[in-house]
Amino acid sequence: MKRVLFLSLVLLMLWLPPAQAVVGMDAFVVDTDTTDPDNSFVPIPAAYEVYTTIKNLGEAGFMNHPEDIFVAPDDTLYIADGENNRVLQMTRDGLVIREITEGCGAKLKKPRGVYVHSDGSIWIADTGNLRIVTLNGDLTDRKVYVKPESSLLGANFTFDVQKIFVANTGYIYALKGANLIALDDANNFRGYLGADKVGFSLSRFLIRLFGSKSQIERTVKQEPASYSNFFIGSDNMIYGILSNKNTAQIRKLNSVGTNTYPEETYGFTLPNRASGAASKVLEPAFADITVEDNGIITVVDRGTGLIYQYDQDGNLLCCFGGLGDTGGLFQIPISIDADSEGYLYVLDYQSNEITVFKPTHFIQLVHQAVMLHGEGRYDEALVYWKQALEIDSNYALAHRGVAKIMGKQEEWGGALRSYQLANDKDGYSEAFAEYRHEYFRQHFLLVVVLAVAVIFCFVKLLFLAKKKADQWADDVQMGRGLK
């Protein structure tokens, strides 16, 4: 009976694959590196390569502390060249097409933002003049927006906006200081958008509850995290970045200002190797964000000089760049945008230059796979994930993509292997649970028979043990009676 029980348990264990504890994290790429679970760098294929660097603009001279770059629908570049009091239009190769120095009856003064609408109109954040200037495509005057008349803004409100976008609804969204504000076409104030929640502070609560008037007045008011930049994607969602926050720095706001992007920690803290540095580490400080039509999100970090790229689920695709004065590195990267071919344009505030990055075949495969996966075209996405793995068999995100598709196709064995290769513990656990459920469903009768047999053997064993114990007790009592 013991042998039957032991054999039944062995068979049950062999039929169900054991759960494995695997530990993993998302890919982190610096230049051509990624990290393993121990945060050690692991090389991966280069995602981008330097196409060109734009600095000397010929007759247009040099830029002087530019602050914003925008790629127009025709793929030409518009740069807000602040200290030169102008906006430049140029090609990808740095050929200046037009130089805009005035609009709507006045010279531009320290413009900090520029936007080009699909109808060809040019919108300029004329920050020094406290206005928004809009021009037609032929540079004739269109309209001027100044401080709206609203009791909600207050007497000390200044209309020194830094970046502009126009939504399909006709609303004008502008970055003013740390806030996103909305205007309509009639220059009416429509409110603030997407303000971050302020956390609870017990000490501040107690001071306000029991403190004197002077103590309450001295209590520092906790402000919500501030926006440092934003972008409106082709999906009409507002993508913003928060500058003074350690988590959920990337936000995706719907029409009512609710964040729909995963609230995770984005960016990495790196050691500061600069001589005489006051701080031993470089903290992430996102400066700008752009979103391509395929949904790929790219942010530039002025604190570490790194460029991070994420998908719509918050997964890190790649990261490259850094601080330095050689090709592909930056001093103070301040703005970023992408064109229709996937080229990235990074504007450096300190070195007064634009670095143009060309996507490699590897990252193009990844982008295509991510886009198709997001659209639910899983069979097509699987082809691109496998092509990416042919280039780099250790790319964890591709293994995770393959695992998710195999899971949707209910190929749980392959999904488990791919999750294991990706070091995705949560994904492996979910796939194993689904595999176990599917196995029980397909072999229900066999499992029930086996379970009944095991229970029967266990009960029988208990019965025999009890019988043996009773017999032993009777023998003991009889032995005592004979004595």
Side-chain angles (χ1 to χ4, degrees):
M1 190 61 64
K2 292 181 180 179
R3 292 177 179 176
V4 172
L5 179 60
F6 178 78
L7 181 60
S8 300
L9 293 174
V10 169
L11 290 175
L12 183 62
M13 293 175 64
L14 289 176
W15 282 340
L16 298 180
Q20 299 183 20
V22 290
V23 181
M25 63 179 296
D26 290 337
F28 169 38
V29 186
V30 181
D31 288 333
T32 56
D33 292 330
T34 186
T35 57
D36 59 14
D38 297 324
N39 288 331
S40 301
F41 292 123
V42 179
I44 72 164
Y48 287 85
E49 58 188 17
V50 176
Y51 172 77
T52 188
T53 301
I54 303 172
K55 188 167 186 176
N56 189 342
L57 304 179
E59 295 182 359
F62 295 86
M63 294 178 287
N64 188 5
H65 294 329
E67 294 200 38
D68 190 32
I69 186 169
F70 184 84
V71 179
D74 62 357
D75 278 347
T76 58
L77 313 180
Y78 283 77
I79 295 91
D81 190 9
E83 294 299 325
N84 283 331
N85 302 315
R86 63 183 181 178
V87 169
L88 298 170
Q89 181 190 11
M90 66 178 69
T91 66
R92 176 192 294 168
D93 297 310
L95 176 63
V96 176
I97 302 172
R98 292 188 294 188
E99 184 178 352
I100 306 171
T101 58
E102 61 181 337
C104 297
K107 296 285 187 181
L108 299 181
K109 184 178 180 181
K110 295 185 177 180
R112 299 185 63 184
V114 60
Y115 166 81
V116 181
H117 197 271
S118 57
D119 62 7
S121 60
I122 304 168
W123 300 62
I124 302 171
D126 192 10
T127 312
N129 287 323
L130 305 180
R131 62 178 187 161
I132 296 175
V133 174
T134 63
L135 306 172
N136 296 311
D138 59 359
L139 300 188
T140 56
D141 294 343
R142 181 180 177 274
K143 192 173 183 179
V144 176
Y145 298 84
V146 294
K147 177 185 175 180
E149 296 293 334
S150 175
S151 59
L152 299 175
L153 296 178
N156 296 326
F157 182 89
T158 56
F159 197 62
D160 52 344
V161 299
Q162 303 139 28
K163 194 161 186 176
I164 318 162
F165 269 91
V166 181
N168 290 342
T169 58
Y171 271 31
I172 304 159
Y173 294 95
L175 180 67
K176 194 282 179 197
N179 302 305
L180 285 176
I181 61 174
L183 311 172
D184 61 20
D185 192 57
N187 202 53
N188 296 312
F189 176 67
R190 291 298 182 179
Y192 294 98
L193 185 73
D196 192 40
K197 296 180 180 179
V198 177
F200 173 77
S201 172
L202 179 61
S203 60
R204 189 171 64 253
F205 173 76
L206 293 176
I207 290 175
R208 290 180 178 178
L209 190 62
F210 302 108
S212 63
K213 183 178 179 180
S214 60
Q215 288 176 326
I216 295 175
E217 291 176 351
R218 289 197 302 269
T219 301
V220 178
K221 181 181 178 181
Q222 184 176 355
E223 298 290 343
S226 59
Y227 284 90
S228 59
N229 229 317
F230 75 106
F231 186 94
I232 297 182
S234 59
D235 56 0
N236 296 321
M237 301 290 278
I238 299 176
Y239 295 81
I241 47 177
L242 301 177
S243 58
N244 55 340
K245 194 173 183 183
N246 296 325
T247 60
Q249 306 99 312
I250 301 177
R251 300 173 69 83
K252 179 181 176 181
L253 307 177
N254 57 21
S255 59
V256 295
T258 302
N259 179 39
T260 61
Y261 202 68
E263 296 191 0
E264 305 291 342
T265 299
Y266 300 101
F268 292 88
T269 300
L270 301 179
N272 190 353
R273 298 185 176 90
S275 58
S279 174
K280 294 182 179 180
V281 296
L282 295 173
E283 298 287 349
F286 293 158
D288 198 7
I289 183 171
T290 187
V291 185
E292 301 178 46
D293 291 342
N294 57 12
I296 301 300
I297 300 170
T298 309
V299 296
V300 60
D301 182 356
R302 64 181 297 168
T304 62
L306 297 176
I307 299 173
Y308 300 91
Q309 199 164 80
Y310 299 93
D311 64 12
Q312 288 290 318
D313 295 324
N315 297 312
L316 181 61
L317 308 183
C318 66
C319 175
F320 58 96
L323 298 176
D325 52 10
T326 58
L329 302 180
F330 314 101
Q331 295 182 25
I332 304 180
I334 193 69
S335 185
I336 190 170
D337 206 351
D339 65 16
S340 61
E341 297 181 31
Y343 284 68
L344 293 177
Y345 303 83
V346 183
L347 183 66
D348 196 309
Y349 176 84
Q350 185 65 32
S351 64
N352 302 309
E353 63 184 15
I354 303 170
T355 303
V356 184
F357 291 95
K358 179 181 179 180
T360 63
H361 178 60
F362 174 75
I363 201 64
Q364 287 176 331
L365 291 173
V366 173
H367 288 177
Q368 192 70 11
V370 169
M371 181 189 69
L372 293 171
H373 194 116
E375 295 175 353
R377 298 156 62 181
Y378 303 119
D379 291 339
E380 298 176 59
L382 183 60
V383 174
Y384 287 97
W385 282 130
K386 288 183 176 180
Q387 290 183 25
L389 287 173
E390 289 177 359
I391 299 176
D392 181 9
S393 60
N394 295 320
Y395 189 54
L397 189 64
H399 285 298
R400 191 179 298 116
V402 171
K404 289 181 179 180
I405 294 173
M406 287 187 172
K408 292 182 180 297
Q409 296 173 347
E410 297 186 354
E411 297 180 9
W412 302 114
L416 290 173
R417 287 191 295 272
S418 294
Y419 276 126
Q420 184 175 5
L421 291 172
N423 283 341
D424 189 337
K425 180 179 63 175
D426 294 335
Y428 188 96
S429 298
E430 293 175 3
F432 179 76
E434 293 291 341
Y435 176 82
R436 182 175 53 197
H437 177 269
E438 182 66 19
Y439 181 87
F440 283 158
R441 188 179 67 83
Q442 293 181 358
H443 303 85
F444 178 75
L445 182 60
L446 178 62
V447 171
V448 169
V449 171
L450 183 59
V452 170
V454 171
I455 294 173
F456 175 79
C457 294
F458 181 71
V459 172
K460 190 66 174 178
L461 183 62
L462 289 179
F463 176 77
L464 293 175
K466 184 177 181 302
K467 185 178 180 181
K468 190 71 173 176
D470 292 342
Q471 184 178 0
W472 177 81
D474 292 340
D475 293 341
V476 171
Q477 290 180 357
M478 290 179 63
R480 289 178 179 175
L482 291 176
K483 291 180 180 179

